[in-house]
Structure formats: structure tokens, C-alpha cells
Amino acid sequence: MHTSMHIAQKILEKGRNLSIVDMTPMKLLKLVYISHGWMLGLYDRPLVSEDVEAWQYGPVIPELYREIKSYKDQPVDSLNPRSNASLDADENNIIDQVLSKYGQFSGFKLSNITHAKGTPWHTVWHQCQYDVIPNPLIRD
């Protein structure tokens, strides 16, 4: 398990190698969340150590949001994840797959995907708003 900042930095690095340069805070938050969900779903283990919360505009990892919100709608150029831990093969594979499938989408398109009826965010937001989205719900 890694901090969301560490995963976000890896997504930025891998995205640059794929010429994905439009990593706005919204897009980066969604890609970290989707990567976490894929890790839970495919390997039954979390990718990020922090909780994901249901906020009005979607699933958010508060710690990551606070670090990147100053970019507003501009691309995030770099982060200081305070960790240099290596990702294992499965973690790298998940990020590669998520970038391959979702990297070309805008933050708004990713937001539409994560807000769809029946998604973990939708379920939690419409039940109790501003609450943690449990990993088992994200996994399923």
C-alpha cells in the first residue's frame, strides 16, 4: 500500500511517457481512485493507504486533494510524494492498464464515469453524503 501522493506521482510519470499531459487535479484524483479500485477488484488489496470519501463532486482522497487543489484547472506538473518506495509488478500493471483505458479521457469524462448510478460514490453519496467509501464497496 502506498500514499495517494506516491501513486499520483507514478501516474504523472507514466502519463508523461505516454504523452498524457492534461493531468488536471480532477483527472489525477479520478485516475488514482480508479487505480485503487482496480487493485481492490483484481488483487483484493488496496493500492492507497488513505480513505476515499464521497464528496459532492465525486470520490476524493482528501490528502491528495489538499496537495493538488492549487493547480485548479491547470495540469499538475509534479508532486513531492515523500516516498520513493517501488511499486510491485501488480501495482505497476494496474496503473499501466488504467492509463491505457482511461488516460485519454478528460477529468469531466472520468467524473461522469465515477458518478454513474450504482457506483460506490453514487451509493454512499445518496445514502449519507460526505462519508468514507468503504474498500469492500469499491472492490465490488
Side-chain angles (χ1 to χ4, degrees):
M1 226 178 349
H2 305 275
T3 67
S4 57
M5 284 282 290
H6 186 67
I7 298 303
Q9 180 61 35
K10 291 298 182 184
I11 288 173
L12 285 175
E13 291 168 6
K14 288 174 175 276
R16 272 190 220 104
N17 291 337
L18 297 169
S19 298
I20 301 170
V21 294
D22 62 337
M23 290 287 189
T24 63
M26 181 189 299
K27 181 172 182 170
L28 190 55
L29 278 163
K30 300 306 183 212
L31 290 172
V32 170
Y33 169 70
I34 291 168
S35 297
H36 176 65
W38 278 39
M39 193 74 194
L40 286 164
L42 294 173
Y43 296 103
D44 199 27
R45 62 185 172 107
L47 182 60
V48 299
S49 54
E50 301 99 336
D51 287 331
V52 179
E53 296 180 4
W55 288 14
Q56 181 177 1
Y57 297 109
V60 173
I61 301 166
E63 294 84 354
L64 179 57
Y65 172 78
R66 283 190 290 276
E67 291 289 332
I68 62 177
K69 71 180 181 178
S70 63
Y71 285 93
K72 300 183 181 177
D73 63 349
Q74 298 302 307
V76 177
D77 53 12
S78 69
L79 299 170
N80 182 13
R82 298 174 200 94
S83 169
N84 60 356
S86 296
L87 302 184
D88 67 28
D90 293 337
E91 293 164 339
N92 273 301
N93 181 44
I94 287 293
I95 292 173
D96 291 342
Q97 287 185 60
V98 167
L99 284 172
S100 175
K101 179 146 180 81
Y102 299 101
Q104 75 277 11
F105 296 145
S106 70
F108 291 106
K109 173 71 174 172
L110 294 173
S111 186
N112 287 337
I113 291 168
T114 61
H115 291 196
K117 187 174 183 175
T119 62
W121 172 84
H122 184 269
T123 300
V124 170
W125 181 253
H126 289 281
Q127 288 178 354
C128 44
Q129 298 183 357
Y130 296 104
D131 202 359
V132 170
I133 304 173
N135 279 340
L137 182 61
I138 297 171
R139 181 193 64 228
D140 294 343

